[in-house]
Amino acid sequence: MHLKKSVYIFLVFLFSISAKAAFILLPMEAEVQQNHLKAYGITYWALDKQYKVSWLLNYRGGSFLLPDAAEIRKECQIRGVTFEVLSDNQANGILNEISSPSQNMETVVLEKAPKIAVYTPKGKKPWDDAVTLVLTYAEIPFTAIYDEEVLSDALLLYDWLHLHHEDFTGQYGKFFGAYRNAPWYIEQKREAEALATKLGFSKVSQEKLAVATKIRNFVIGGGFMFAMCSATDSFDIALAAEGVDICEPMFDGDDSEANYQARIDYNKSFAFKDFILERNPLVYEFSDIDMSRKRKVLPDNDYFTLMEYSAKWDPIPSMLCQNHTQLVKGFMGQTTAFDSERIKSNILVMGENKFNGEARYIHGTKGKGMFTFYGGHDPEDYEHRVGDAPTVLDLHPNSPGYRLILNNVLFPAARKKKLKT
């Protein structure tokens, strides 16, 4: 009897060891996770604390697997993030399922918390920015930088750069038609001219081109750039128009070149080709890249579809498209979406509205680095207007549109593997 009791105690002991929690899973499907956005913040926080994290591509909406630690559990509870405690056996079962050749899933190891910079002007009213909003909400630290820092090579300190809804062409966002008498427009124009002069440039357009060139070199050198709204097409236009005056007198004090369209060099742009620039300074548009004025879709039917990739063979676009739905609600911006006919053939279209002939979410490589362009201003504010209040993300903790931004934020943390394609 004594022997049986000892054996029983020993078996219970063995079971308790094998059942001991070893991992924490942050499930990311729609039905379970109560705060998708803050789950990214937990993942970043864990990486920053030197914990090893795995991104489980296409498993339960792109879940995260973290080691079990009391401080991680506590942080999840504080931030309202749903988590599940797994034993070694349970975690190994999940990893075995993911590794099966029959499953379109993959495990990607995240190694370190990327250093994040957001290119944004100081006192950026009347705009707000979706990326700064979601980084702040998810409690992911970032550093705000602007022209002086970029031109002094501060980008060397960062892995990831977001471009605020900037105008790199020197035309002040083409707001002249509607807002030229608005105090904020007058003040921002004055500040931009003063900054250009301080930095040794005679025109704002020349100074912005120098900034765009530094950012281009950051990407070529291995950096990751993420841009939204007008920062996407105005960046490419500025690069393609290098050495060409495309600004009218109200922007830079002298006439534009008479036939500047013929001098645009599309080889210098990142993503777009064959675009025709908008010459009229009163029109709130840079070129025919943007679909805002060409759209034939009603707000209630405005959705775009995320592409599905092979997680094992194409892990990069798979990471960038992780979500709990493939159908994402559309949203407007100065640059709402990209005309499919204006996108270079080497660019990956990861989200599109085929009915409207537009791409919403695109990705490409340049040199050793990568970039993602995302159309629209705010994923949870359909028609965000100048002066509107910023979105309160407590009301949208499960936003699929904002998840795409955070996929890009975490992407540089992934262990670099030799691509199979």
Side-chain angles (χ1 to χ4, degrees):
M1 189 74 183
H2 180 71
L3 180 61
K4 281 186 177 181
K5 187 176 180 182
S6 299
V7 169
Y8 173 76
I9 291 171
F10 178 67
L11 289 174
V12 169
F13 174 70
L14 280 181
F15 178 78
S16 68
I17 291 176
S18 66
K20 183 175 180 290
F23 292 93
I24 288 174
L25 181 78
L26 306 185
M28 296 293 277
E29 68 266 68
E31 302 79 15
V32 177
Q33 182 52 253
Q34 61 182 333
N35 198 316
H36 287 91
L37 306 185
K38 285 189 180 288
Y40 287 88
I42 292 288
T43 302
Y44 187 97
W45 176 88
L47 288 170
D48 203 38
K49 293 274 190 180
Q50 312 297 316
Y51 287 106
K52 179 181 174 182
V53 178
S54 292
W55 198 348
L56 309 183
L57 304 186
N58 294 345
Y59 177 79
R60 296 180 64 182
S63 299
F64 299 102
L65 188 65
L66 295 75
D68 183 32
E71 62 175 345
I72 296 177
R73 292 192 194 195
K74 182 179 178 183
E75 203 65 29
C76 287
Q77 290 164 345
I78 291 170
R79 301 191 192 189
V81 173
T82 306
F83 66 97
E84 297 172 7
V85 178
L86 306 178
S87 67
D88 259 330
N89 287 343
Q90 290 172 313
N92 287 334
I94 291 170
L95 296 175
N96 286 336
E97 178 189 353
I98 289 170
S99 66
S100 169
S102 66
Q103 297 291 339
N104 184 20
M105 302 176 187
E106 180 66 304
T107 302
V108 172
V109 176
L110 303 181
E111 292 191 307
K112 64 166 190 169
K115 292 183 173 62
I116 298 168
V118 173
Y119 174 83
T120 181
K122 296 173 178 66
K124 58 189 175 189
K125 292 179 180 178
W127 300 288
D128 50 79
D129 176 61
V131 173
T132 55
L133 283 175
V134 76
L135 288 172
T136 302
Y137 180 74
E139 301 178 57
I140 295 175
F142 65 92
T143 302
I145 64 170
Y146 204 50
D147 293 355
E148 289 182 88
E149 291 86 353
V150 172
L151 293 175
S152 61
D153 292 321
L155 290 180
L156 295 172
L157 302 174
Y158 302 97
D159 305 303
W160 192 90
L161 171 68
H162 167 58
L163 303 185
H164 177 73
H165 305 286
E166 186 62 55
D167 174 6
F168 289 98
T169 70
Q171 299 175 91
Y172 308 104
K174 295 294 290 283
F175 285 110
F176 179 80
Y179 295 103
R180 60 184 175 274
N181 295 318
W184 64 262
Y185 179 88
I186 295 167
E187 177 62 15
Q188 287 187 353
K189 185 173 185 292
R190 186 196 65 76
E191 288 176 353
E193 290 169 344
L195 181 58
T197 300
K198 176 184 175 183
L199 295 172
F201 297 90
S202 59
K203 292 183 178 184
V204 171
S205 58
Q206 294 169 350
E207 188 255 335
K208 289 297 181 185
L209 172 62
V211 170
T213 301
K214 284 283 189 182
I215 294 170
R216 178 198 68 193
N217 295 342
F218 162 77
V219 177
I220 289 172
F224 189 95
M225 180 183 81
F226 178 82
M228 287 186 73
C229 202
S230 61
T232 58
D233 50 353
S234 76
F235 177 80
D236 258 16
I237 290 167
L239 293 178
E242 182 179 6
V244 185
D245 188 345
I246 64 172
C247 295
E248 302 305 330
M250 66 285 296
F251 301 129
D252 69 350
D254 58 26
D255 290 331
S256 63
E257 292 188 26
N259 191 27
Y260 64 62
Q261 183 65 51
R263 294 192 57 201
I264 301 301
D265 186 352
Y266 303 112
N267 293 318
K268 293 180 179 178
S269 61
F270 273 31
F272 304 115
K273 65 176 183 179
D274 304 334
F275 47 84
I276 306 299
L277 300 183
E278 175 55 65
R279 293 195 72 106
N280 188 343
L282 300 178
V283 174
Y284 181 56
E285 191 65 272
F286 294 106
S287 75
D288 63 353
I289 294 170
D290 178 40
M291 291 292 292
S292 292
R293 294 188 298 160
K294 298 183 279 187
R295 308 188 83 225
K296 301 171 184 175
V297 58
L298 297 173
D300 288 346
N301 300 324
D302 192 356
Y303 286 84
F304 63 96
T305 304
L306 296 176
M307 303 298 104
E308 188 172 356
Y309 298 94
S310 168
K312 290 179 172 63
W313 289 89
D314 294 307
I316 290 172
S318 292
M319 272 184 267
L320 298 178
C321 289
Q322 290 301 291
N323 224 311
H324 48 283
T325 175
Q326 273 191 277
L327 204 59
V328 182
K329 187 76 178 78
F331 50 99
M332 302 286 284
Q334 180 174 14
T335 301
T336 298
F338 317 118
D339 190 323
S340 296
E341 295 183 359
R342 295 289 178 259
I343 298 173
K344 293 183 177 182
S345 60
N346 63 321
I347 300 301
L348 198 61
V349 175
M350 302 186 298
E352 65 179 351
N353 183 322
K354 277 193 174 179
F355 169 79
N356 219 45
E358 64 184 27
R360 298 295 307 245
Y361 185 48
I362 64 177
H363 178 73
T365 60
K366 193 74 173 177
K368 296 178 180 177
M370 299 182 185
F371 61 92
T372 298
F373 288 170
Y374 191 13
H377 185 94
D378 185 327
E380 293 298 339
D381 187 347
Y382 185 77
E383 197 172 3
H384 190 88
R385 296 184 180 276
V386 171
D388 282 358
T391 295
V392 178
L393 282 175
D394 271 326
L395 303 176
H396 309 282
N398 311 106
S399 168
Y402 270 100
R403 274 197 70 178
L404 295 180
I405 297 172
L406 293 173
N407 286 342
N408 284 269
V409 173
L410 277 191
F411 173 73
R415 178 185 293 168
K416 301 300 181 287
K417 291 198 282 190
K418 190 173 182 179
L419 295 181
K420 298 171 185 174
T421 55

